[in-house]
Amino acid sequence: MKPCRSVAADPQALCTVLRHARHALCQRVARAAATPDRMFAADFPALVGAVEAGFRREELTMEALGMPGLRERRQHNALILSALHHVTRAVERGSRETGREVVRALRDLPHLHRHAADLVLAVSALQQRTRMRAPNQVRRVAARRGIAA
């Protein structure tokens, strides 16, 4: 039997989780865009829930990897979610066009964050290389750079 590795210990696995979560969110947004007008208002709160869940997965993944920029990403996500909740009330009152406009904007959202997985892998690889250096090698590198080790 293969030993079970923790996903949190494997940056590539976490990046895969992140990609799958984004892909699922993209599919959900596409389904919302294709929802007929008569069902759009009833479906919109579920879309907002899916966006919340997607953001939560992304933030947990970033936190597990110790990624820089997590605080800023959470602030950005909070602004988007606040706007979505505000629009939800308008959609429920019959303003489907406002909701459709938001769905069109959401289509681009995953592309705004598309480099996050690459950044995670780059940061993780750098951290692993640093951890794997022997102490005397770290001292030599520090001495060359004029840093007291």
Side-chain angles (χ1 to χ4, degrees), residues 97-138:
E97 193 49 46
T98 303
R100 295 259 183 221
E101 189 175 325
V102 167
V103 169
R104 283 191 294 276
L106 281 175
R107 284 186 202 167
D108 295 331
L109 183 64
H111 301 295
L112 295 175
H113 296 168
R114 71 185 179 274
H115 297 294
D118 293 337
L119 178 61
V120 167
L121 286 174
V123 168
S124 175
L126 180 62
Q127 288 173 341
Q128 282 184 334
R129 275 187 272 155
T130 303
R131 276 189 296 237
M132 294 171 64
R133 284 186 178 165
N136 58 353
Q137 185 181 4
V138 171

Side-chain angles (χ1 to χ4, degrees), residues 27-41:
Q27 289 180 325
R28 182 63 184 89
V29 171
R31 282 196 313 272
T35 301
D37 281 344
R38 61 183 162 72
M39 296 170 38
F40 186 79

Side-chain angles (χ1 to χ4, degrees), residues 41-125:
D43 189 52
F44 197 78
L47 172 64
V48 174
V51 171
E52 283 178 321
F55 284 176
R56 193 170 26 256
R57 276 188 223 102
E58 178 184 68
E59 291 169 3
L60 288 172
T61 302
M62 289 176 71
E63 186 174 12
L65 289 168
M67 261 187 74
L70 176 60
R71 181 173 182 222
E72 292 79 9
R73 179 64 59 89
R74 283 183 171 150
Q75 289 171 342
H76 183 247
N77 291 350
L79 286 172
I80 292 169
L81 290 172
S82 174
L84 283 173
H85 286 289
H86 187 281
V87 169
T88 299
R89 291 189 293 277
V91 170
E92 289 171 340
R93 288 191 302 260
S95 180
R96 284 190 306 256
E97 193 49 46
T98 303
R100 295 259 183 221
E101 189 175 325
V102 167
V103 169
R104 283 191 294 276
L106 281 175
R107 284 186 202 167
D108 295 331
L109 183 64
H111 301 295
L112 295 175
H113 296 168
R114 71 185 179 274
H115 297 294
D118 293 337
L119 178 61
V120 167
L121 286 174
V123 168
S124 175

